[in-house]
Amino acid sequence: NGKPHLSCQSFLRDLLPGPVRIEALAHFPIERDLCVSVDGFVKKLEGIRPYIIPKEPRSLAEGEYLQTPAQLEQFEQYSACINCMLCYSACPQFGLDPDFTGPGVLALLHRYNADSRDGGRAQRMAMLNAEEGVWSCTAVGYCSEVCPKGVDPAKAVNLNKVNAAKNYFFGIPGKKEAAKWFHLAALQGLAAAQGALGYLCLVGEGVSQNNDLALTWTRKAAEQGDATAQFNLSVMHGEPFGIKKDPAESLKWLRRAA
């Protein structure tokens, strides 16, 4: 009836008095009848290296990798994905652009990046920051509504955006390209991207140096509670390096950051 749902969890008694409309999974090429091609999904899944990449070689004699409950909690929710692709059927961005990596794969990417045993984050970042990667998400959130396992791929995508923003300052190549995607994410209201864009405008990295835009974007992030942006805004208003000196404003934002 137009809603992505697992057939194995659907009961006709819940759909009375009908009628019931059964369709192929939306946004995928139809092979025949209700069968769709998942070749594109499998290729994307393979591309993120969905397995533990050890940080360093370890012999069997050295025993298993150990984790604390807190470390397990960082990724356990995202490991529940069963690759049913309902989130892709629900995703309007994937419907418009089949090249978009999509919520399910991005959630699994975060699952492995967040695992304390894994050392493959750097190998996955190129896919994360590609044009069809995490910044193409328009934050609709319907993917999380239809997920039958409670994975919450929308949350994983947003966490990936934050991690991508942080990773930029550790040497992602192509500063102009990165600045472009920061700008798109900032327009969507993502505080981490707004703060990062404010910093780029301040130092003139990837974009033209512009103190007014630096203040604007940093303030937007600070008002959303981003502590780094609050501290940066305090510095911008402070002595002796402030670009718009205002001791009262500087102290206010410093207190909020603290």
Side-chain angles (χ1 to χ4, degrees):
N1 289 340
K3 180 179 179 180
H5 199 272
L6 289 180
S7 59
C8 60
Q9 291 184 350
S10 302
F11 295 91
L12 289 177
R13 64 172 179 264
D14 297 330
L15 301 171
L16 293 174
V20 178
R21 187 174 75 252
I22 301 175
E23 302 171 278
L25 202 62
H27 304 155
F28 288 90
I30 295 177
E31 294 281 356
R32 183 175 179 179
D33 299 329
L34 299 178
C35 297
V36 297
S37 172
V38 298
D39 292 347
F41 171 79
V42 172
K43 184 177 180 180
K44 293 169 185 173
L45 187 61
E46 292 173 342
I48 65 165
R49 297 176 175 84
Y51 42 81
I52 297 293
I53 300 175
K55 293 180 179 179
E56 55 188 28
R58 188 182 182 94
S59 67
L60 291 176
E62 293 177 281
E64 68 273 19
Y65 289 92
L66 299 179
Q67 279 187 323
T68 66
Q71 289 173 326
L72 175 63
E73 188 179 358
Q74 293 297 312
F75 70 87
E76 186 176 22
Q77 174 183 1
Y78 309 106
S79 66
C81 177
I82 58 174
N83 296 329
C84 66
M85 298 173 290
L86 292 184
C87 56
Y88 283 80
S89 184
C91 177
Q93 182 62 19
F94 179 67
L96 292 171
D97 180 12
D99 291 330
F100 174 43
T101 303
V105 170
L106 288 173
L108 281 172
L109 184 150
H110 179 70
R111 174 258 178 274
Y112 288 101
N113 277 357
D115 194 320
S116 62
R117 301 166 296 178
D118 184 78
R121 175 187 287 257
Q123 300 178 45
R124 301 185 184 101
M125 291 308 295
M127 185 173 185
L128 191 66
N129 287 285
E131 185 171 350
E132 63 276 7
V134 70
W135 300 108
S136 290
C137 171
T138 53
V140 173
Y142 190 33
C143 54
S144 292
E145 289 186 32
V146 303
C147 178
K149 303 298 287 185
V151 172
D152 198 357
K155 178 181 178 181
V157 171
N158 282 329
L159 289 171
N160 276 324
K161 288 180 178 180
V162 172
N163 290 332
K166 291 179 180 178
N167 199 70
Y168 170 82
F169 296 104
F170 292 91
I172 292 179
K175 293 182 179 179
K176 288 185 178 180
E177 185 71 5
K180 179 182 75 173
W181 292 109
F182 276 134
H183 186 248
L184 288 175
L187 291 174
Q188 293 178 34
L190 185 67
Q194 291 171 341
L197 187 58
Y199 176 80
L200 295 181
C201 290
L202 179 66
V203 299
E205 292 281 2
V207 294
S208 299
Q209 200 279 334
N210 188 313
N211 288 343
D212 290 336
L213 284 178
L215 278 169
T216 297
W217 286 114
T218 304
R219 180 175 292 275
K220 286 180 180 292
E223 288 173 346
Q224 289 197 61
D226 187 294
T228 301
Q230 290 170 345
F231 176 77
N232 288 344
L233 195 58
S234 172
V235 174
M236 290 178 184
H237 284 301
E239 299 282 356
F241 305 111
I243 59 178
K244 190 175 182 181
K245 295 179 178 64
D246 187 330
E249 278 289 291
S250 178
L251 182 58
K252 180 184 77 173
W253 289 110
L254 184 61
R255 284 173 171 168
R256 290 196 185 184

